[in-house]
Amino acid sequence: MVFELPSDLHPDMGPVAWMLGTWRGNGHGDFPTIEGFQFGQELIFTHDGRPFFHYMARSWIIDPETGEEVRKAAIETGFLRCKQTGMGVGKVELVLAHNTGLVEIYVGNAEGGKLEIVTDAVGATETAKPVQGGKRLYGNVEGDLLYAYDMAAMDQPLTPHLWARLQRAKG
């Protein structure tokens, strides 16, 4: 699917402009403290011309046999900020809030259709499960959005947790 840069895109957001829009697809999850699972997901990146994108993601657990939704899962929302440091290269900050009671600040770099970020800070409510940190990798691969999320939580070191392939929604 052809992607056109919005005319009012802030110049600093160029290195992550490919992420704009709605993405949908399926992924897999695993962690040493839980059983593996499959999920469906929708990511939405929007902008209003200022130097950030609003981000929202929702997911649901799916039955591996039928692909049907079994139950709702994670929701996260936040802001992706980028400061262009060279042609197509940017320093990135992602501020996230989760329905599970976590807030995270990620920092990293974007270049060439790839965004790589790690946690700089994690905050949690009294009822949230303990998460010490994370690492996220997003990439534009053959026009799809692929990502991997590694998590340090529940006394486990940084470990692969989620990975998915999402397609740009039509329209």
Side-chain angles (χ1 to χ4, degrees):
M1 178 179 294
V2 176
F3 171 73
E4 293 183 24
L5 285 177
S7 61
D8 62 342
L9 181 71
H10 192 283
D12 280 347
M13 299 306 291
V16 293
W18 66 272
M19 300 177 87
L20 276 172
T22 300
W23 302 85
R24 294 186 186 106
N26 292 332
H28 302 273
D30 203 3
F31 203 69
T33 60
I34 62 172
E35 280 190 42
F37 59 94
Q38 293 185 29
F39 63 93
Q41 188 167 46
E42 178 180 69
L43 305 183
I44 303 170
F45 293 90
T46 63
H47 83 102
D48 65 5
R50 292 183 283 174
F52 63 85
F53 293 164
H54 177 244
Y55 164 78
M56 199 284 273
R58 64 187 185 97
S59 59
W60 50 95
I61 304 301
I62 59 174
D63 181 300
E65 301 294 320
T66 66
E68 296 295 316
E69 180 179 319
V70 175
R71 64 179 168 83
K72 305 289 185 206
I75 298 173
E76 58 186 23
T77 190
F79 298 92
L80 177 65
R81 299 161 27 110
C82 187
K83 179 67 176 168
Q84 193 157 262
T85 58
M87 184 57 88
V89 179
K91 293 277 185 195
V92 176
E93 303 166 345
L94 178 63
V95 180
L96 286 180
H98 301 262
N99 65 311
T100 57
L102 291 174
V103 293
E104 298 173 293
I105 298 173
Y106 284 85
V107 296
N109 297 291
E111 180 177 10
K114 181 174 107 174
L115 170 65
E116 191 166 3
I117 52 178
V118 296
T119 47
D120 186 50
V122 178
T125 63
E126 183 179 321
T127 58
K129 291 182 181 176
V131 173
Q132 289 75 47
K135 178 179 180 179
R136 293 177 182 226
L137 176 63
Y138 297 85
N140 183 339
V141 179
E142 300 172 346
D144 289 347
L145 188 155
L146 274 64
Y147 80 85
Y149 168 54
D150 296 350
M151 179 175 70
M154 311 295 291
D155 297 320
Q156 300 293 317
L158 198 62
T159 303
H161 177 43
L162 304 172
W163 55 98
R165 183 174 197 129
L166 310 176
Q167 291 75 42
R168 187 179 298 280
K170 293 173 177 48

